[in-house]
Amino acid sequence: MESDRVSVLCGAIGILATIGCAGGETGEYTDVELPEWRIEEVARIGSLDDPDIGLTRVSRVLFGPNDRVYISQSSEREIRIYEKSGTEVRRFGRNGEGPGEFRSLGAIGFTHDTLYVADMGLRRFSMFTPDGEYIESFQWQSTADQAMVGSVFTIPTPPQIVLDDGTGLLQQGFGYRPGDVDVLAVPWLRIDREGTMQDTIAIQETDVSRGRMVSEGGPEIAMFPPIGDAPLYQLMADRSGLVMVERPFATDGGRHTFRMRWVGPAGDTLRVRDYDYAPVPLPQGEAERLIEQAVERYADSPIPIPRATIERTYGEPGFIPDFLPTVSRIRTGDDGSVWIQRETVGQETVAWNMIDTEGELLGTIRLPATANIMAARGFLIAALEMDEFDVPYVVIYRVVRDPETNAE
């Protein structure tokens, strides 16, 4: 559920960073001009013409020992290992239920020096050496059986992060009936292998009352705003807990603030930082583009919605905001860094800010608008990018902070 927001300005990005501390106290704002770093492509993994080396559905990307790159291919139930240079090392896994086989690939990661792969279909974890040699598998009980509680139901959910003590971190899976719920409260949990809850890390509350129920003589269907400002949550890839961004829509063009909060695996607040930003107005013509997208999307739905209904709903006050969310995405590195994607709409490139382990904004890079950071380690980034034919590539970038010395 991506619904948090942060705002970024391009070029020499001017953000006013507040000095914050655990418990939510904040200090005085001070002007900070972030340096804009260049990026250097190290490798591009994938192919348009060669199906043997091409990628299909990339679900996870991970940096491993010696900066090797692990790519999870969910369609093939396969993990591929590459050197940082893009040279393929090995593939392992296939569809099945036997040792080293998968039915539905989930999270991948390292605990100590062992690679774990979650199988959501078989509700088990398989363990491998860094070279992909199978070690063992074990069942991991999910947090809940699927059951309806009023208009909300929980879904069995395996961990997304495994800690060295054998417990796992996850967001509880859920579903709900649109129109029957105003606020969803979904927990982030730490559980053991038996599915027993050890800690509640955070409760993610999402206001879903902004949706509109529409009907054209048949069943009602929910139509939600195309741009949201719900908080963004992301488990830390270094397994230190959870980071969240509170990014309410700006109400005017004056100075506004978004807040980031770091929480440990036991639910204790580690750090709170506020960042000031200048709101970016919704570009001229963007509302019309969003309407056209909705017309195309709902025309192919099982219950088509006429253009007039879409235009009427999108034209309601507040359904489309006056300002863009300042943060569009949040990603974490296995070194404890955090990357936040700034305002996105119609650009060829989009700004990403790097935040260090103390919450300090360090600098900015610009990635293609189709790029999504999947993994990060220091100043090494793996991004999933789509070409004009919607063919996926995993691109490894090195961030160059000092162009004169070419230093990371």
Side-chain angles (χ1 to χ4, degrees), residues 54-74:
L55 302 174
T56 53
R57 289 186 59 192
V58 176
S59 55
R60 302 287 196 285
V61 180
L62 174 73
F63 283 117
N66 301 315
D67 292 337
R68 281 185 170 180
V69 182
Y70 295 72
I71 299 177
S72 174
Q73 290 265 95
S74 57

Side-chain angles (χ1 to χ4, degrees), residues 3-84:
S3 32
D4 264 341
R5 128 191 150 194
V6 174
S7 140
V8 171
L9 304 177
C10 305
I13 297 180
I15 295 181
L16 306 176
T18 70
I19 302 171
C21 60
E25 298 177 4
T26 56
E28 296 297 322
Y29 289 100
T30 55
D31 288 319
V32 175
E33 185 176 273
L34 296 182
E36 186 162 341
W37 302 322
R38 74 177 178 88
I39 55 175
E40 180 180 88
E41 184 173 311
V42 176
R44 181 171 293 263
I45 300 170
S47 173
L48 170 64
D49 304 314
D50 190 340
D52 185 54
I53 63 175
L55 302 174
T56 53
R57 289 186 59 192
V58 176
S59 55
R60 302 287 196 285
V61 180
L62 174 73
F63 283 117
N66 301 315
D67 292 337
R68 281 185 170 180
V69 182
Y70 295 72
I71 299 177
S72 174
Q73 290 265 95
S74 57
S75 296
E76 291 80 4
R77 282 79 163 179
E78 176 183 83
I79 309 290
R80 298 185 185 182
I81 307 175
Y82 297 86
E83 299 291 356
K84 182 176 65 175

Side-chain angles (χ1 to χ4, degrees), residues 328-345:
S328 302
R329 284 191 179 117
I330 180 169
R331 294 293 183 262
T332 65
D334 63 15
D335 60 337
S337 62
V338 177
W339 292 84
I340 56 174
Q341 184 188 51
R342 303 311 294 265
E343 298 88 354
T344 59
V345 59

Side-chain angles (χ1 to χ4, degrees), residues 83-275:
E83 299 291 356
K84 182 176 65 175
S85 63
T87 301
E88 185 174 326
V89 176
R90 185 184 178 186
R91 305 180 184 190
F92 65 95
R94 62 182 180 181
N95 188 29
E97 300 181 7
E101 297 177 337
F102 312 106
R103 182 186 293 172
S104 177
L105 283 173
I108 61 175
F110 277 91
T111 174
H112 299 293
D113 59 352
T114 302
L115 175 70
Y116 62 80
V117 181
D119 190 319
M120 300 177 65
L122 299 175
R123 299 193 188 185
R124 76 180 184 190
F125 275 71
S126 295
M127 314 300 282
F128 299 85
T129 69
D131 291 326
E133 297 291 340
Y134 175 77
I135 300 174
E136 64 173 343
S137 296
F138 54 85
Q139 297 298 125
W140 197 310
Q141 298 300 316
S142 59
T143 55
D145 292 326
Q146 185 165 327
M148 180 69 71
V149 180
S151 298
V152 180
F153 59 89
T154 57
I155 298 173
T157 311
Q160 297 160 253
I161 296 284
V162 176
L163 305 181
D164 287 343
D165 65 1
T167 61
L169 309 181
L170 63 114
Q171 181 188 30
Q172 173 64 64
F174 69 96
Y176 69 100
R177 292 193 184 116
D180 292 349
V181 180
D182 289 335
V183 177
L184 288 171
V186 180
W188 291 81
L189 305 172
R190 183 170 71 91
I191 65 172
D192 61 21
R193 290 189 185 183
E194 287 69 45
T196 304
M197 186 181 70
Q198 304 298 305
D199 291 290
T200 298
I201 308 172
I203 300 294
Q204 179 174 345
E205 292 189 352
T206 303
D207 181 1
V208 295
S209 64
R210 295 176 181 174
R212 305 290 192 273
M213 301 302 295
V214 300
S215 174
E216 294 298 324
E220 284 191 324
I221 64 173
M223 186 178 294
F224 290 95
I227 302 175
D229 67 342
L232 299 176
Y233 291 72
Q234 183 73 41
L235 289 170
M236 293 293 295
D238 68 347
R239 302 180 295 162
S240 63
L242 178 75
V243 63
M244 62 191 78
V245 179
E246 299 168 7
R247 45 165 203 162
F249 282 132
T251 55
D252 54 48
R255 190 169 70 177
H256 287 267
T257 301
F258 68 87
R259 170 168 290 186
M260 296 185 63
R261 186 186 306 272
W262 286 258
V263 181
D268 50 317
T269 298
L270 305 176
R271 187 180 312 108
V272 177
R273 287 281 180 139
D274 288 347
Y275 305 91

Side-chain angles (χ1 to χ4, degrees), residues 41-47 55 84-86 368 385-387 391-397:
E41 184 173 311
V42 176
R44 181 171 293 263
I45 300 170
S47 173
L55 302 174
K84 182 176 65 175
S85 63
E385 299 183 17
M386 310 296 289
D387 69 8
V391 174
Y393 293 83
V394 171
V395 185
I396 312 302
Y397 291 105

